[in-house]
Amino acid sequence: MRKGVKVKQLGRLKAHREAMFRNLVTSALWHEQIETTLAKAKVARSLLDKLITRAKYSIGDGITESQKLHNIRIAARVVRDKEVLHKLFNDIAPRFTNRNGGYTRVLRLGARASDSAEMAVIELVERKSLVQLKEERKAFRESLTSLTSKTETAPVKK
């Protein structure tokens, strides 16, 4: 009998569960909408809301650079991709400055055909359209390639 256990086990070991939710949260922030099982979506919703809240408080005027860096490093524990981390702090968080919580929604889809698992979509409440997301990703990656091409130096001849 597991009394007082507040973590959803989901039939996985701790390391596997943490890695799975890191990947799930990263994908949810990158695509702004993902499809997963209902149990995973409910746990991911709480993680997403906490990350967005931390990123939102990093935008304020009364915050120092060290506090902002601290928030970025704490979010980087979960979101390991630098592009997604940049998107979280510079694109997603400013959208939710006037909202006090409830940044994500979970919509039930019904049972999956193969194993009858309850499926759900987890999405950001104020999300962009697919066309806007693709254009922003393309522009961001082009800016990254232009930065790397500028920093590369000519090969040294002997």
Side-chain angles (χ1 to χ4, degrees):
M1 189 179 316
R2 290 172 18 196
K3 293 184 178 178
V5 176
K6 297 189 190 242
V7 176
K8 289 282 186 183
Q9 302 294 322
L10 299 175
R12 290 164 174 81
L13 298 176
K14 180 182 178 186
H16 182 197
R17 190 172 51 247
E18 287 176 355
M20 178 184 65
F21 283 120
R22 274 191 212 112
N23 292 332
L24 198 66
V25 167
T26 302
S27 295
L29 289 172
W30 181 247
H31 299 290
E32 299 189 9
Q33 173 184 356
I34 57 169
E35 182 178 329
T36 184
T37 63
L38 182 63
K40 290 178 195 173
K42 286 180 177 181
V43 176
R45 176 179 52 190
S46 67
L47 294 172
L48 277 168
D49 284 347
K50 288 175 186 175
L51 280 177
I52 293 172
T53 300
R54 187 167 289 279
K56 189 175 82 167
Y57 289 138
S58 296
I59 298 172
D61 293 332
I63 192 164
T64 64
E65 286 296 319
S66 62
Q67 290 171 330
K68 183 176 181 180
L69 181 62
H70 176 69
N71 287 333
I72 291 171
R73 285 181 175 164
I74 290 202
R77 291 179 188 171
V78 178
V79 180
R80 301 282 173 92
D81 188 358
K82 288 184 181 180
E83 289 181 38
V84 179
L85 198 62
H86 181 269
K87 180 179 178 179
L88 171 64
F89 279 86
N90 296 325
D91 183 33
I92 294 175
R95 284 189 243 163
F96 295 109
T97 53
N98 297 328
R99 182 181 286 268
N100 294 327
Y103 311 116
T104 56
R105 72 169 62 99
V106 175
L107 302 171
R108 294 175 185 234
L109 295 178
R112 183 164 48 196
S114 62
D115 60 354
S116 297
E118 188 71 25
M119 297 299 290
V121 169
I122 184 166
E123 64 182 10
L124 297 180
V125 174
E126 298 174 13
R127 67 184 183 95
K128 294 183 177 179
S129 69
L130 186 61
V131 175
Q132 288 175 325
L133 286 172
K134 286 185 177 180
E135 289 173 359
E136 286 181 1
R137 288 179 196 153
K138 185 177 179 182
F140 183 74
R141 288 197 172 134
E142 286 174 356
S143 69
L144 285 180
T145 55
S146 67
L147 286 175
T148 56
S149 65
K150 289 178 184 177
T151 58
E152 290 177 2
T153 58
V156 178
K157 294 182 181 179
K158 292 184 180 180

